[in-house]
Amino acid sequence: MEDRLIVRKIKDGTVIDHIPAGRALDVLKILGISGKEGMTVALVMNVESRKLGRKDIVKIENRFLKPEEVDKIALIAPTATINIVRDYEVVEKRRVVVPDEIVGILKCVNPLCISNSPREPVVPRIAVVSRQPLKLRCTYCDEEFGEEALSQLVSQ
């Protein structure tokens, strides 16, 4: 018997591959996909991977990601690759990259930071100090924090 996954190709859309095992549902949540939108979504979790040992894959038909969505995915799944599919062919393949600065995606963990004040029209700006392990610093108050701040991405 053939040892391959049987998941139908998509005609047009996005395939997010090499997601660390167990993170596919977080990726769907970040993208605002609940399953009620009517689009075709294929989700494969905990499949064997030569690179990662185990990985998840998400295929979304007729949807292409915005740059800010790719930045969010990079934060929770830094090993992910984004494949753009048109007419059943992969026309673009790229790895996600954690940006040097995260603007308007994450809030500072310091509740006293000016970026958390409802009376100040300040867009949160977070500098990436280290990618492995993830270490972030608020541009306004210099508060440093790590991956614990990423839970706010999937709780929004």
Side-chain angles (χ1 to χ4, degrees), residues 30-31 66-76 97-109 115-116 122-128 134 136 140 145 149-156:
I30 282 173
L31 298 175
K66 299 173 189 160
E68 59 269 16
E69 292 175 322
V70 174
D71 287 347
K72 288 179 182 178
I73 292 170
L75 289 169
I76 67 159
V97 176
V98 176
D100 293 333
E101 185 179 45
I102 302 160
V103 180
I105 293 175
L106 288 175
K107 290 183 175 179
C108 178
V109 297
S115 66
N116 286 321
V122 176
V123 176
R125 300 181 84 87
I126 310 290
V128 176
L134 188 63
L136 309 167
Y140 299 106
F145 46 96
L150 301 181
S151 62
Q152 65 181 275
L153 283 175
V154 290
S155 65
Q156 294 174 348

Side-chain angles (χ1 to χ4, degrees), residues 18-75:
H18 299 101
I19 301 168
R23 292 278 173 108
L25 294 175
D26 291 339
V27 169
L28 290 178
K29 198 163 189 175
I30 282 173
L31 298 175
I33 296 173
S34 67
K36 298 175 184 170
E37 298 79 17
M39 65 181 80
T40 302
V41 177
L43 174 69
V44 183
M45 297 178 73
N46 291 308
V47 296
E48 287 186 31
S49 166
R50 279 181 270 163
K51 285 166 108 178
L52 303 174
R54 294 270 172 197
K55 69 177 181 178
D56 294 350
I57 304 168
V58 173
K59 292 184 175 187
I60 310 164
E61 198 154 46
N62 297 318
R63 171 120 185 237
F64 301 95
L65 304 181
K66 299 173 189 160
E68 59 269 16
E69 292 175 322
V70 174
D71 287 347
K72 288 179 182 178
I73 292 170
L75 289 169

